[in-house]
């Protein structure tokens, strides 16, 4: 199988042959883009050009076979990962739910979220920024997210509308009148820049999410201590 790669840094294209099962198409560095050619007409134009260059003509039977040839390429879909972690928190479900509902406070406990800004005219939408060092690389991403209809004291969930593709949910399970279990699930499309370390990215992200929940537990406990008790 042949793939045409356009190297932005070099400003030129090159034709490269890869095995059909090779994962390398999804693991190109961020400075390269894969141009997917799905037309037999392109193949014929290249064959015709090669024939002229070598003095060999393309027969009509070869042209017929080329026209019947199915598309060789399809758009390359990036891989999605799902990360889940959970932690018992020493506050009631209602308090944990309220704290997590305050989206603009999330950067206070989630280590890789640098900012969250709710849109004034559309409070169900918010702009998120991520900034963190991942395996020695400083990465920054942003996205616009919509908060889906929540289930009070039970579930908060969202999905991105633009920017870094992601979705997720926070679920709250009562353990006692004064404690609950918080489960955080995040799904995201692996960014191209991190594709080469995709297999190591999931445990890395789950560790960050757990660290975030531990900070959230301390944050929620402090907030709960300031609530007047009946």
């Amino acid at each position: 199988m042949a793939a045409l790669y356009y190297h932005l840094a070099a400003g030129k294209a090159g034709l490269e042959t890869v095995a059909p099962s090779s994962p390398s198409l999804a693991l190109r560095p961020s400075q390269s883009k894969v141009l997917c050619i799905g037309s037999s007409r392109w193949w014929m134009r290249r064959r015709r050009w090669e024939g002229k260059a070598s003095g060999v003509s393309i027969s009509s039977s070869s042209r017929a076979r080329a026209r019947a040839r199915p598309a060789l390429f399809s758009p390359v879909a990036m891989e999605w990962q799902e990360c889940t972690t959970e932690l018992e928190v020493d506050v009631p479900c209602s308090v944990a739910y309220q704290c997590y509902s305050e989206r603009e406070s999330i950067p206070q406990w989630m280590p890789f979220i640098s900012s969250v800004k709710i849109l004034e005219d559309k409070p169900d939408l918010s702009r998120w920024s991520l900034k963190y060092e991942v395996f020695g690389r400083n990465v920054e991403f942003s996205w616009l997210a919509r908060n889906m209809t929540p289930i009070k004291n039970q579930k908060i969930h969202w999905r991105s509308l633009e920017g870094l593709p992601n979705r997720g949910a926070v679920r709250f399970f009562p353990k006692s009148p004064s404690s609950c279990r918080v489960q955080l699930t995040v799904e995201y499309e692996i960014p191209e820049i991190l594709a080469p370390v995709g297999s190591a990215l999931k445990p890395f992200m789950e560790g960050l999410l757990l660290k975030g929940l531990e900070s959230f537990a301390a944050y929620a406990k402090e907030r709960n201590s300031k609530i007047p008790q009946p």
Side-chain angles (χ1 to χ4, degrees):
M1 180 181 293
L4 181 66
Y5 293 97
Y6 183 78
H7 299 277
L8 298 180
K12 61 183 179 180
L15 188 70
E16 186 173 317
T17 301
V18 296
S21 60
S22 171
S24 61
L25 286 177
L27 301 180
R28 291 290 160 187
S30 60
Q31 63 267 28
S32 300
K33 297 294 183 183
V34 177
L35 302 182
C36 298
I37 310 297
S39 170
S40 60
R41 291 193 298 274
W42 177 89
W43 180 84
M44 278 300 299
R45 286 197 297 271
R46 178 172 176 82
R47 291 287 294 163
R48 192 175 296 117
W49 179 85
E50 290 176 344
K52 290 179 180 179
S54 60
V56 178
S57 62
I58 306 298
S59 67
S60 58
S61 60
S62 296
R63 293 190 183 95
R65 285 196 299 270
R67 284 194 295 269
R69 183 186 297 269
L72 296 178
F73 295 90
S74 59
V76 178
M78 298 300 291
E79 180 184 354
W80 279 71
Q81 279 187 350
E82 177 181 317
C83 299
T84 299
T85 189
E86 57 183 57
L87 187 71
E88 188 167 335
V89 181
D90 293 329
V91 298
C93 272
S94 58
V95 174
Y97 174 88
Q98 181 59 38
C99 288
Y100 223 110
S101 296
E102 299 169 358
R103 284 167 284 168
E104 293 186 341
S105 298
I106 289 177
Q108 295 185 40
W109 67 77
M110 193 57 71
F112 55 89
I113 299 298
S114 55
S115 68
V116 180
K117 180 64 177 177
I118 297 174
L119 273 60
E120 293 183 4
D121 56 336
K122 296 180 179 179
D124 61 325
L125 301 182
S126 50
R127 295 195 179 277
W128 296 61
S129 296
L130 177 156
K131 186 175 182 180
Y132 206 73
E133 182 178 322
V134 181
F135 301 115
R137 293 186 177 187
N138 292 319
V139 297
E140 294 186 42
F141 299 104
S142 61
W143 62 92
L144 177 68
R146 180 187 299 279
N147 260 35
M148 313 305 286
T149 304
I151 304 175
K152 187 175 182 180
N153 298 337
Q154 296 183 44
K155 181 182 178 183
I156 297 170
H157 56 134
W158 71 91
R159 62 180 178 88
S160 66
L161 302 178
E162 61 182 40
L164 179 68
N166 71 91
R167 54 183 175 259
V170 189
R171 294 175 174 86
F172 307 88
F173 304 93
K175 296 286 291 182
S176 72
S178 60
S179 67
C180 65
R181 178 166 55 92
V182 179
Q183 182 187 78
L184 173 59
T185 299
V186 176
E187 298 177 66
Y188 52 87
E189 186 180 81
I190 300 177
E192 185 179 2
I193 191 175
L194 298 177
V197 294
S199 59
L201 188 58
K202 181 174 180 176
F204 177 82
M205 282 299 300
E206 288 182 337
L208 281 182
L209 294 176
L210 180 58
K211 182 179 178 181
L213 281 187
E214 291 171 347
S215 296
F216 171 76
Y219 176 89
K221 189 173 182 178
E222 182 180 356
R223 281 280 300 274
N224 189 50
S225 66
K226 298 177 181 179
I227 298 175
Q229 301 300 318

